[in-house]
Amino acid sequence: MTAEPSPEAHQPLRADAARNRETVLAAATRAFATSDTEPSMRAIARQAGVGVATVFRHFPTREALVDAVYQDQVVRLTAGASELLADHPPAQALRLWMDLFAEWQATKHGMTDTLLAMIDSGEISLAHTRQELLSAITTILDAGATTGDIRPDARADDVSAGILGMLAVAARSGEPAQAQRLLDLLMDGLRPH
């Protein structure tokens, strides 16, 4: 039987605690993106400039931290579509969104083992994430079709597959600039002829 959360668990975080949580989340995101192996909680605490107890206070397990980073990045991607559309024409918004997606892929690099275990256990639903990301892409594609900026026959699942494939190829090449060139080519193919 699991214990009921304390009444304090439902109260909003104090300002300093919220700042610490965001600092740890940002440091973990950077650490996961730049590490070849999964960084330790201690290394993340060091990068955040806080004690390891602060990390564990906000994220009691590695899985809790990985889930928080993963969900934070999904929210940034889904909200990013609308934000980019508000400031840029659809084709430019889509190309900028592709860069956000590439950053999200990089973030997952140092948390792959934990993330895969969480997906296998059902703690993280790839189907739900995929649907959210396809919805974000669709939002931009629809805006682009309306303005004539993007081909009206472009489909979100094709764009997603193209981005994933190109990022996978570029990751294996060891040449970071290749990802940008490939995404530019994809974007060129999405413009009306």
Side-chain angles (χ1 to χ4, degrees):
M1 176 179 225
T2 59
E4 286 296 315
S6 68
E8 295 83 26
H10 298 293
Q11 295 176 355
L13 292 175
R14 292 185 336 250
D16 60 331
R19 263 192 314 278
N20 281 344
R21 184 184 189 287
E22 290 306 312
T23 299
V24 170
L25 194 59
T29 300
R30 285 190 306 275
F32 289 139
T34 59
S35 182
D36 289 334
T37 60
E38 290 201 14
S40 70
M41 298 293 264
R42 189 171 303 286
I44 291 168
R46 208 173 18 257
Q47 189 166 2
V50 300
V52 74
T54 300
V55 174
F56 282 110
R57 187 174 312 114
H58 295 287
F59 307 102
T61 64
R62 171 175 293 284
E63 290 78 10
L65 180 58
V66 165
D67 185 53
V69 168
Y70 183 82
Q71 298 306 330
D72 180 63
Q73 293 298 304
V74 170
V75 167
R76 289 176 192 273
L77 274 171
T78 54
S82 297
E83 291 167 6
L84 288 167
L85 274 175
D87 295 333
H88 304 283
Q92 186 181 4
L94 181 57
R95 182 59 188 88
L96 291 169
W97 189 88
M98 289 177 186
D99 289 337
L100 287 178
F101 190 90
E103 289 171 18
W104 181 59
Q105 283 292 102
T107 299
K108 294 190 305 184
H109 180 71
M111 59 184 189
T112 302
D113 293 341
T114 301
L115 190 60
L116 290 175
M118 292 174 75
I119 290 166
D120 286 345
S121 73
E123 290 177 71
I124 290 179
S125 168
L126 282 183
H128 178 71
T129 300
R130 176 175 159 67
Q131 196 53 47
E132 287 187 61
L133 297 178
L134 290 177
S135 178
I137 296 170
T138 299
T139 298
I140 300 174
L141 292 178
D142 288 349
T146 299
T147 63
D149 208 15
I150 297 175
R151 294 170 49 159
D153 62 338
R155 292 178 34 162
D157 55 339
D158 294 338
V159 172
S160 174
I163 295 169
L164 285 168
M166 289 174 175
L167 293 177
V169 167
R172 286 190 187 100
S173 77
E175 185 187 350
Q178 185 180 33
Q180 295 300 310
R181 291 193 309 268
L182 290 171
L183 292 175
D184 287 341
L185 288 171
L186 174 60
M187 196 61 238
D188 287 346
L190 292 169
R191 295 181 194 280
H193 298 291

